[in-house]
Amino acid sequence: MIKITVKVDGMMCGMCEAHVNDAVRRTLSVKKVTSNHRRGETIILSEHDIADERIAAAIKESGYDFRGLTREEAKAGGLLGLFRK
């Protein structure tokens, strides 16, 4: 699982977060997406990597500004993560 943290400018409220999340879900194959307007970021969890250009296009489609991203391996969390090896 890959965790992609995307920097997004222009989100001002929870409705902005929803617009970005909907655009990402509609255009990309993701496991989970959450946005935080206070931090100016969107977190994408995906089974496989997604090209930067596709992510940037999804953010721009939602009406906000793409400012870059970072990738890392997602760590298993929660109670079920304790039982995985």
Side-chain angles (χ1 to χ4, degrees), residues 3 12 23-25 31 37 41 46 57-58 67 74 76 79 84:
K3 176 182 174 184
M12 304 299 285
V24 168
R25 283 187 198 103
K31 193 83 162 158
H37 70 278
E41 67 183 21
S46 178
R67 296 291 181 210
L79 185 59
R84 293 185 185 143

Side-chain angles (χ1 to χ4, degrees), residues 64-80:
Y64 301 93
D65 296 322
F66 171 82
R67 296 291 181 210
L69 58 80
T70 59
R71 288 178 174 79
E72 62 186 272
E73 186 175 334
K75 296 174 178 60
L79 185 59
L80 293 178

Side-chain angles (χ1 to χ4, degrees), residues 1 5-6 11 13 23 26 38 46 57 64 66 68 77 79 84:
M1 184 89 63
T5 303
V6 185
M11 293 189 294
C13 64
R26 187 172 50 252
R38 289 189 181 117
S46 178
Y64 301 93
F66 171 82
L79 185 59
R84 293 185 185 143

Side-chain angles (χ1 to χ4, degrees), residues 53-65:
E53 298 81 23
R54 293 187 65 216
I55 296 169
I59 299 300
K60 290 175 185 175
E61 175 189 305
S62 66
Y64 301 93
D65 296 322

